[in-house]
Amino acid sequence: MTEQEKIEKKEKKERIPRQGMPEQDPKARVTNFDEVPTGYSPETAMLEARRCIQCKKPGCVSGCPVDIDIPAFIQLVADGDFIGAARKIKETNCLPAVCGRVCPQEDQCEKLCVLGKKWDPVAIGRLERFVADYERKAGTIEIPALPASTGKRIAVIGAGPAGLTIAGDLVKMGHDVTIFEALHKSGGVLIYGIPEFRLPKGIVDAEVEYLQKIGVKIVTDAAIGRLKTIDDLFAEGFHAVFLGVGAGAPVFMNIPGENFSGIYSANEYLTRSNLMKAYRFPEYDTPIAKGRNVAVIGGGNVAMDSVRTALRLGAENAIIIYRRTKNEMPARAEEVHHAEEEGVQFQFLTNPIEYIGDEKGWVRQMVCQRMELGEPDESGRRRPVVIRGSEFKIDVDTVVVSVGTMANPVIPMTTPGLDTNRWGYIVTKDETGETTRKGVWAGGDIVTGSATVILAMGAGRKAAMAIHDYVMSL
Amino acid sequence: MHRVTEKVTLSENIVKTVFEAPDIAKKRKAGQFVILMIDDKGERIPLTIVDSDPVKGTLTIIYQVVGKTTDQLARLEVGDLIQHVLGPLGHPTEIEGIKTAICVGGGVGIGVLYPIAKALKEKGTRVISIIGARTKNLLILEEESRSVSDELHITTDDGSYGRHGFVSDVLKDIIDSGQKVDRVFTIGPVPMMRVVANVTRPYNIKTLVSLNPIMVDGTGMCGACRVTVGGKTKFTCVDGPEFDGHEVDFGLLMSRLRMYIDQEQEARELCRCGKND
């Protein structure tokens, strides 16, 4: 029987549609920061899991950057063994509750699900989220038996997705791992960037606690490059270093008036709201501008997070300003859909060229140009071209610039022998992330530029194997 | 966790706090700063390190009580804890090869200027210090400043101590007297730094200002601390904190410093109410 026949047989037998996930009503959720989708029930999860036809050569696994044995965990869900399913995922992915929420499954595992050719793919991400949440809530998170200590010390710089992954992997191989994090809390972009309504911070905290329980040491408030250089770490006795510092520096557009008060980088806006909990000011001390007319420049996931944060902070008009059209937006379809449901407005084919401020230096208006799409550029997307004479103004009191990030130069600057490319990203010799400096590996956004949580985790995983081989050969 | 080891009230609303931060104390150079956060609900604020003791493993900060966080900081007594301290941040002051420098400090800025004057003096620079305050009892670090200066001039706005007038008046007199001055360092309220930069501009004396804008992470990640210098955007945390005073857009700096003035007042009021409970 071919796979196709198997599907048809199964469909005839059961005809289970892809199971939706309940969500908070859009009108209610814009007034709070609680998570939008509320997750599957055990019954729904088992029903959805039964849709999987257990392919012999599963496409989904080849689409997963960390090679989760997807059919195996889904079978366990179908059998009702949710804890077993969670442990199956954790064999290769230490952050399933995070990945089940923020991975772009539609471009990875689910894109390659054979059911998707004729019907809808199995909701792999939702199932991953369900089992991870189930295990966490059940309080049965297992501490694996660890091998004897190798006596090798490894420093991981940055407690984001790449750093947390590699730390977990290396500690499970018996190494002594210390993460150095510049902020006061671990999680990197998971904690400062992605909002509570998309990734509750309690989940990130639980994942970090798990790593600490299995022996990972975490030093927060440690600005490596300033407090200690990479050379200092080797001198202190570390055998290898992994750099997972992210592409943390915000990009501005360098247009007139961009430094007026009320204009933020997305990094700052989200850091204030998420890390510093400015949405709970004055209970928390950090303030944030609660604008009535908020414009967010950009069309990526970070722009969607920013504009939806603006709505929850009370904006009357929260507008995405994007220079191409909806089709070219890099944001996930699900995020755009959620934003639309919540009342976000979209100004496509529009680009700001200047800000106008008041006598106090606060932004009041944004001068924009209309664009049209021309020939495709090197990214394959059609290049936006200015329509002459199309300038118009939009009234704004808060602006969030979300047009990308670049490499932070502090570590490369203070680490002799560590080569960077012309954009400041760290040069790696191969896919393990080995850098030009002996004993130093790098992975995640500081190598690739802004990408996804799961790709950074994949990089951490590959580097873990290489670092293990290296330190054991010393 | 960082234990407070000393606290001294220097004037009506200027306080000195010494706390443990051994790793930072080992690395810190003059001109660098820390970001501190008193507790997990606190704000992250930048403060210049005034002094460090690598043996005792302590840092000294001097600050003016202006908002909730500094108010709370000023109430920490010996033995109390500051939860988070990140540093040393920013570029150290360039102090090499300067024959004569004038250090112009105003208000709480005198505290921030003192380590620079001290470092210059240790490098053999002839240091002329001009320190000023609104009135006599707001003047801080007179003796410390004297100990690291070849000449010390004092001004008060109301004439209650030293010369009646502004630090910039003394600066102009010294320059006009024909002394060769290689560098001016000035730290104080933004309007004062602007005036000082305006005094030295016609003489083409390189004038460095140390800026203290609002920051969040302090590592170049957020851009809250951006300033316009010579028409270009700079991040104070990683590009500064010192910049060429002749190039800084002080008006912009001042307006950005006032960005959260309403919320700051609200937070401080609430904090005070809480205190009276």
Side-chain angles (χ1 to χ4, degrees):
Chain A
M1 194 162 53
T2 65
E3 306 262 277
Q4 202 58 36
E5 286 163 349
K6 264 168 81 182
I7 299 170
E8 302 205 356
K9 188 177 164 215
K10 186 145 186 158
E11 279 294 317
K12 250 183 210 154
K13 199 174 93 190
E14 306 201 35
R15 290 195 189 282
I16 308 169
R18 180 175 159 111
Q19 298 297 299
M21 192 162 43
E23 290 179 351
Q24 271 199 77
D25 178 71
K27 281 204 187 87
R29 73 192 190 221
V30 292
T31 64
N32 65 53
F33 276 78
D34 298 340
E35 193 173 16
V36 170
T38 48
Y40 278 164
S41 65
E43 296 73 30
T44 316
M46 287 170 75
L47 199 58
E48 180 64 29
R50 292 222 312 268
R51 296 183 61 230
C52 174
I53 59 163
Q54 297 290 321
C55 301
K56 283 216 174 63
K57 286 184 187 162
C60 53
V61 179
S62 62
C64 175
V66 295
D67 305 316
I68 295 174
D69 188 347
I70 294 166
F73 103 75
I74 291 183
Q75 186 60 55
L76 288 163
V77 177
D79 297 342
D81 181 2
F82 305 136
I83 301 290
R87 287 181 188 156
K88 176 54 75 181
I89 298 174
K90 280 193 170 169
E91 286 172 11
T92 61
N93 179 354
C94 62
L95 306 172
V98 173
C99 293
R101 288 173 166 81
V102 305
C103 263
Q105 290 99 7
E106 64 281 7
D107 288 327
Q108 298 178 160
C109 51
E110 293 182 16
K111 189 181 189 177
L112 298 171
C113 173
V114 68
L115 288 189
K117 285 181 190 161
K118 201 163 175 188
W119 299 281
D120 290 322
V122 175
I124 302 167
R126 292 171 185 174
L127 289 171
E128 181 183 28
R129 169 189 160 142
F130 167 75
V131 296
D133 288 356
Y134 186 92
E135 188 196 26
R136 190 179 63 256
K137 285 177 196 154
T140 53
I141 291 179
E142 190 185 50
I143 306 294
L146 296 176
S149 168
T150 60
K152 305 295 183 187
R153 296 179 66 206
I154 296 149
V156 172
I157 319 303
L164 294 175
T165 301
I166 193 170
D169 283 5
L170 289 170
V171 98
K172 285 182 199 161
M173 295 176 197
H175 303 301
D176 179 354
V177 184
T178 306
I179 302 181
F180 294 93
E181 166 57 46
L183 291 173
H184 59 274
K185 244 175 119 69
S186 296
V189 72
L190 308 175
I191 208 93
Y192 76 75
I194 303 176
E196 181 78 16
F197 55 82
R198 210 150 72 75
L199 177 63
K201 299 307 142 213
I203 290 172
V204 183
D205 293 343
E207 304 283 17
V208 171
E209 273 168 35
Y210 170 75
L211 287 175
Q212 286 173 310
K213 272 187 195 152
I214 63 172
V216 174
K217 296 170 205 157
I218 302 182
V219 183
T220 53
D221 303 313
I224 299 302
R226 295 267 181 236
L227 182 69
K228 290 174 181 179
T229 62
I230 301 302
D231 288 336
D232 291 338
L233 293 175
F234 281 116
E236 282 181 21
F238 284 98
H239 297 93
V241 174
F242 175 79
L243 303 173
V245 297
V251 172
F252 286 94
M253 296 172 70
N254 288 316
I255 59 177
E258 206 173 19
N259 292 341
F260 280 131
S261 296
I263 304 180
Y264 293 94
S265 72
N267 270 3
E268 181 186 353
Y269 193 67
L270 293 174
T271 299
R272 282 181 180 274
S273 182
N274 301 328
L275 175 72
M276 306 309 297
K277 302 249 184 295
Y279 68 89
R280 287 164 68 178
F281 178 90
E283 181 196 350
Y284 284 75
D285 291 343
T286 302
I288 192 166
K290 295 185 175 175
R292 288 174 61 189
N293 299 304
V294 184
V296 176
I297 321 300
N301 288 322
V302 174
M304 296 306 135
D305 286 345
S306 302
V307 79
R308 294 173 68 200
T309 296
L311 276 179
R312 285 160 174 78
L313 289 172
E316 286 165 24
N317 295 296
I319 316 167
I320 285 282
I321 309 284
Y322 183 54
R323 61 193 185 134
R324 292 177 160 110
T325 73
K326 189 173 175 181
N327 296 330
E328 289 80 24
M329 281 211 296
R332 293 181 69 190
E334 180 185 327
E335 304 309 326
V336 179
H337 170 71
H338 278 149
E340 284 172 338
E341 279 185 335
E342 289 168 9
V344 168
Q345 302 161 45
F346 290 82
Q347 286 267 5
F348 294 116
L349 293 168
T350 303
N351 202 36
I353 52 170
E354 186 183 350
Y355 297 100
I356 297 168
D358 62 16
E359 69 288 349
K360 288 181 177 165
W362 197 282
V363 66
R364 287 296 165 217
Q365 281 186 313
M366 184 165 73
V367 183
C368 294
Q369 276 179 329
R370 293 286 187 201
M371 317 293 281
E372 59 190 349
L373 292 183
E375 295 300 310
D377 62 12
E378 58 274 18
S379 74
R381 293 180 300 177
R382 292 176 64 193
R383 189 191 300 275
V385 182
V386 172
I387 301 175
R388 283 184 183 282
S390 63
E391 287 80 9
F392 68 104
K393 289 176 185 164
I394 300 176
D395 288 342
V396 291
D397 50 39
T398 305
V399 174
V400 182
V401 182
S402 179
V403 297
T405 55
M406 56 191 179
N408 186 318
V410 173
I411 287 184
M413 242 165 40
T414 56
T415 311
L418 186 73
D419 289 355
T420 53
N421 65 21
R422 65 188 169 110
W423 299 281
Y425 296 116
I426 295 173
V427 174
T428 54
K429 291 196 232 168
D430 54 33
E431 66 161 18
T432 71
E434 189 178 3
T435 69
T436 53
R437 171 74 191 264
K438 191 172 185 296
V440 179
W441 276 257
D445 285 2
I446 191 59
V447 172
T448 58
S450 310
T452 59
V453 168
I454 189 70
L455 285 174
M457 291 176 58
R461 153 123 324 135
K462 288 189 186 106
M465 298 306 296
I467 290 178
H468 172 73
D469 291 344
Y470 171 78
V471 295
M472 295 314 283
S473 73
L474 289 176
Chain B
M1 293 286 212
H2 304 264
R3 204 171 59 91
V4 173
T5 58
E6 189 187 342
K7 192 195 93 172
V8 185
T9 301
L10 300 179
S11 81
E12 196 182 299
N13 59 354
I14 297 178
V15 181
K16 172 171 116 170
T17 299
V18 184
F19 56 90
E20 290 169 350
D23 287 344
I24 302 174
K26 265 184 240 160
K27 278 274 175 168
R28 167 265 169 181
K29 293 196 174 87
Q32 290 187 297
F33 64 96
V34 288
I35 294 260
L36 65 79
M37 185 172 166
I38 299 173
D39 59 43
D40 279 332
K41 289 189 174 178
E43 195 173 5
R44 293 169 66 98
I45 63 161
L47 287 167
T48 303
I49 305 166
V50 172
D51 209 349
S52 56
D53 186 331
V55 178
K56 286 188 191 154
T58 56
L59 298 180
T60 303
I61 50 173
I62 292 179
Y63 50 93
Q64 189 167 2
V65 176
V66 287
K68 182 185 171 187
T69 305
T70 42
D71 197 339
Q72 214 180 333
L73 194 57
R75 278 194 247 127
L76 296 183
E77 301 296 340
V78 172
D80 287 345
L81 297 171
I82 300 170
Q83 285 205 354
H84 302 284
V85 180
L86 173 73
L89 301 173
H91 292 290
T93 308
E94 284 178 30
I95 49 173
E96 304 290 334
I98 301 167
K99 279 200 186 123
T100 303
I102 305 185
C103 295
V104 187
V108 71
I110 299 168
V112 181
L113 189 67
Y114 164 73
I116 296 172
K118 186 177 163 198
L120 286 165
K121 189 71 203 150
E122 284 163 4
K123 285 279 168 191
T125 301
R126 185 174 133 73
V127 176
I128 302 169
S129 292
I130 309 168
I131 60 174
R134 253 189 303 126
T135 184
K136 185 184 174 185
N137 59 18
L138 291 177
L139 188 80
I140 61 165
L141 298 196
E142 182 186 344
E143 281 322 305
E144 289 85 344
S145 299
R146 194 182 309 281
S147 71
V148 296
S149 307
D150 294 272
E151 270 178 42
L152 177 72
H153 302 266
I154 295 168
T155 67
T156 47
D157 298 3
D158 64 358
S160 54
Y161 191 59
R163 175 167 158 177
H164 187 175
F166 300 111
V167 285
S168 48
D169 304 335
V170 179
L171 175 66
K172 193 163 187 326
D173 290 351
I174 295 173
I175 297 170
D176 282 340
S177 74
Q179 289 200 50
K180 170 116 176 52
V181 178
D182 305 297
R183 189 77 44 93
V184 171
F185 294 90
T186 182
I187 303 172
V190 179
M192 185 206 94
M193 292 194 286
R194 169 147 64 182
V195 171
V196 167
N198 285 340
V199 167
T200 58
R201 186 177 283 114
Y203 302 92
N204 233 344
I205 302 169
K206 188 167 179 184
T207 300
L208 290 176
V209 296
S210 179
L211 306 185
N212 192 28
I214 294 169
M215 291 188 188
V216 185
D217 66 288
T219 63
M221 194 186 87
C222 82
C225 65
R226 61 198 196 274
V227 287
T228 305
V229 182
K232 292 201 172 101
T233 295
K234 298 280 180 191
F235 287 7
T236 305
C237 65
V238 289
D239 299 323
E242 286 166 17
F243 293 103
D244 183 341
H246 297 155
E247 303 266 325
V248 170
D249 182 341
F250 289 104
L252 181 90
L253 174 67
M254 256 190 289
S255 64
R256 287 188 67 85
L257 277 168
R258 296 175 60 84
M259 201 163 152
Y260 299 103
I261 196 111
D262 296 340
Q263 288 101 317
E264 280 161 12
Q265 264 163 10
E266 185 190 342
R268 193 150 184 221
E269 291 305 319
L270 280 170
C271 163
R272 283 182 172 155
C273 296
K275 191 180 131 191
N276 295 336
D277 275 348

